[in-house]
Amino acid sequence: MATSALLTIMVGAARKGARSLKRDFGEVENLQVSRKGPADFVSAADKRAEKVIFDELHKARPTYSFLMEESGAVEGTDGQHRWIIDPLDGTTNFLHSIPMFAISIGLERNGVMIGGVIYNPITDELFTAERGAGAYVNNRRLRIANRNHLSECVVATGIKNTGNAAADTRAVTQIAKINQSVAGVRRSGSAALDLAYVAAGRYDLYWEDGLQPWDIAAGMLMIREAGGLITDSKGKEINVARGSVLAGNEKVHAKLLKELKNA
Ligand code: 2AM
Ligand code: CA
């Protein structure tokens, strides 16, 4: 696997951010018993990791723009490149000492995703993708699963707590309906890892709405580079700003799309 200078920079930043997250993850367990509220601590962990990642990327490419979960947008001068960063995707898992979370870094050039890194510091799985050069996990090539029938598919999704009872009921009812057509539904709590797992052929499909650009940016390139199709959940062209995703191989993507329309 040939690694470009840009991907090397992204991997370096993700690994450095991961060291910070890992230290804090070790502390979370102790905090569960304190009354201080681990939520504040996790929010600080999030910000610490983001600063580490920002500093690394900014040092390497001082003119690039940023879009980050915690600090928002930072405009660079080059007008072409933008890093899209989630320093801790799977915050609720992290807070509960569940080792299912990741750093996600995407790189966009003129509005097109050209690089993606998703790193789970606990399992030490490093997912990478470069436009036109494929997707990898720890240097092993990723390929989307090639199942044909929904009944054989493991399908990942998310369950948001929107605060709106009717919307939550609609979403859960839709999941219950899809559950009847597939081999199993999974809900990991990390959109970035869900996308990486689809790229790796572990999950066959993933759909979710109400996401943020940093949840999706790196993963959408990974899906494409692993030979998969990614659209929004209505089958239209994906737009990171709209936060709606449906990903899988072309055949089962079409089948789940139809089910979602009817569900
Ligand atoms: P987070 O862990 O960084 O918050 C859970 O289904 C997935 O949705 C996670 O990747 C989570 O990212 C993301 N997400 C995005 N917006 C969210 C929101 N408003 N509430 C909960 N999860 C959200
Ligand atoms: Ca996120």
Side-chain angles (χ1 to χ4, degrees), residues 128-135 141-143 220-228:
T128 59
E130 281 192 277
R131 187 172 152 84
R141 186 88 191 238
L142 296 184
R143 291 234 181 278
M220 73 186 256
L221 179 65
M222 229 159 262
I223 295 285
R224 289 180 178 145
E225 290 299 324

Side-chain angles (χ1 to χ4, degrees), residues 15 18-19 21-22 25 89 93-94 97-103 118-127 137-140 188 190 192-194 196-197 200 202-203:
R15 285 199 187 278
R19 284 201 285 280
L21 275 190
K22 231 175 135 168
F25 188 66
D89 186 59
N93 288 341
F94 188 98
S97 298
I98 300 166
M100 187 77 185
F101 59 88
I103 287 171
I118 296 172
Y119 183 49
N120 179 338
I122 307 303
T123 60
D124 195 27
E125 278 193 311
L126 178 73
F127 298 90
V137 58
N138 296 345
N139 300 326
R140 194 159 45 78
S188 82
S190 164
L193 285 175
D194 288 341
Y197 278 30
R202 297 174 184 174
Y203 297 148

Side-chain angles (χ1 to χ4, degrees), residues 30-31 69 95 97 106 121 126 134-136 142 156 163 184 205 225 238-239:
N30 308 329
L31 289 168
E69 180 175 15
L95 179 60
S97 298
L126 178 73
Y136 293 82
L142 296 184
L205 287 152
E225 290 299 324
I238 188 166
N239 176 339

Side-chain angles (χ1 to χ4, degrees), residues 135-187:
Y136 293 82
V137 58
N138 296 345
N139 300 326
R140 194 159 45 78
R141 186 88 191 238
L142 296 184
R143 291 234 181 278
I144 204 117
N146 69 353
R147 292 189 181 82
N148 284 310
H149 304 291
L150 274 189
S151 60
E152 304 169 325
C153 288
V154 171
V155 181
T157 189
I159 306 171
K160 291 257 152 38
N161 183 347
T162 62
N164 175 327
D168 285 358
T169 302
R170 272 198 305 278
V172 174
T173 304
Q174 186 187 45
I175 292 169
K177 286 190 181 152
I178 298 301
N179 189 40
Q180 293 173 10
S181 319
V182 302
V185 175
R186 297 290 182 269
R187 198 282 193 199

Side-chain angles (χ1 to χ4, degrees), residues 69 86-91 102 189-192 211-212 214-216:
E69 180 175 15
D86 193 339
L88 173 51
D89 186 59
T91 315
S190 164
L211 296 168
Q212 300 292 334
W214 41 83
D215 302 320
I216 307 170

